[in-house]
Amino acid sequence: VRAGGGVLLYGPPGTGKTMLAKATDSEIDATFFRISPADVLSKWVGEAEQNLKKLFDAAAAEPRAIIFIDEIEALIPARRDEGSSIMQRVVPQILQGMEGFDEKDNSPILFMGATNVPWQLDPAVLRPGRFDEKVYIPLPDVAARRRMLELYLSKRPLAADVDLSKLA
């Protein structure tokens, strides 16, 4: 994991893309900024852009940060002439913000995104310096499903006859 650029996690829903982003955060001891379209978008003109500026400023103020954009296709959709005016302003703002952080920056920031539909992303976000790494996250196999059940249910009371292997 290096500062600048980013990692795009893509694959079917429910495969643990968000969990992997959180795990990356823990491994590199970074401040984790998780955003979704609802956190950024607003019906008021200019507010979405201000929300993004605040996000990038807050991340830059940290010694090490991860900006994780869940459902990234809703924030950086492929731009078309008939698109909404807000997305015509928000997409370039995000792209410009991503471009502003690189290895020379004093505050290393890693961008991570998760999507089920990578083909709906604006092509500009996939160019070098933005989401350089693209990682397909497949459906978990039986062993992984069992481990996930163990983790999720570890602090919950279970009946003696619950067989996690059978559930997996």
Side-chain angles (χ1 to χ4, degrees), residues 8 10 32-33 71 74 85 103 143 150 155:
L8 179 67
Y10 68 99
F32 191 72
F33 294 89
E71 298 179 26
S85 64
E103 294 87 355
E150 287 172 3
K155 295 181 177 139

Side-chain angles (χ1 to χ4, degrees), residues 14-20 22 144-158 164:
T15 55
K17 295 180 288 290
T18 302
M19 188 185 300
L20 282 169
K22 288 180 183 176
R145 289 193 302 268
R146 186 180 194 312
R147 182 67 181 132
M148 289 167 70
L149 287 169
E150 287 172 3
L151 291 171
Y152 286 129
L153 300 174
S154 65
K155 295 181 177 139
R156 306 231 187 262
L158 294 176
L164 295 183

Side-chain angles (χ1 to χ4, degrees), residues 1 6 25 35 38 46 61 63 66 71 81 91 99 112 119 135 140 144 150:
V1 176
D25 163 55
I35 62 168
I66 292 176
E71 298 179 26
D81 292 336
V91 172
E99 196 74 20
M112 296 186 79
W119 54 87
V135 181
E150 287 172 3

Side-chain angles (χ1 to χ4, degrees), residues 2-82:
R2 65 190 183 294
V7 178
L8 179 67
L9 305 174
Y10 68 99
T15 55
K17 295 180 288 290
T18 302
M19 188 185 300
L20 282 169
K22 288 180 183 176
T24 303
D25 163 55
S26 296
E27 287 294 316
I28 65 171
D29 191 28
T31 302
F32 191 72
F33 294 89
R34 179 183 180 193
I35 62 168
S36 68
D39 298 328
V40 174
L41 300 178
S42 170
K43 65 180 181 177
W44 306 109
V45 175
E47 193 168 323
E49 294 90 330
Q50 289 175 0
N51 291 341
L52 288 168
K53 182 175 181 345
K54 287 178 192 173
L55 168 69
F56 288 127
D57 289 348
E62 296 295 328
R64 192 175 307 130
I66 292 176
I67 295 178
F68 175 65
I69 307 172
D70 208 359
E71 298 179 26
I72 193 169
E73 72 280 357
L75 269 181
I76 311 176
R79 291 171 283 183
R80 294 179 177 86
D81 292 336
E82 71 275 0

Side-chain angles (χ1 to χ4, degrees), residues 68-147:
F68 175 65
I69 307 172
D70 208 359
E71 298 179 26
I72 193 169
E73 72 280 357
L75 269 181
I76 311 176
R79 291 171 283 183
R80 294 179 177 86
D81 292 336
E82 71 275 0
S84 73
S85 64
I86 187 168
M87 295 318 285
Q88 294 295 337
R89 294 187 316 269
V90 168
V91 172
Q93 174 103 17
I94 294 172
L95 297 175
Q96 181 182 10
M98 290 180 76
E99 196 74 20
F101 298 101
D102 59 23
E103 294 87 355
K104 296 178 216 94
D105 198 328
N106 292 335
S107 314
I109 295 178
L110 173 67
F111 290 93
M112 296 186 79
T115 183
N116 305 329
V117 286
W119 54 87
Q120 290 183 1
L121 289 170
D122 192 284
V125 80
L126 300 174
R127 68 167 233 213
R130 292 184 176 145
F131 284 110
D132 296 324
E133 303 293 330
K134 292 143 196 91
V135 181
Y136 177 69
I137 310 299
L139 290 169
D141 61 13
V142 174
R145 289 193 302 268
R146 186 180 194 312
R147 182 67 181 132

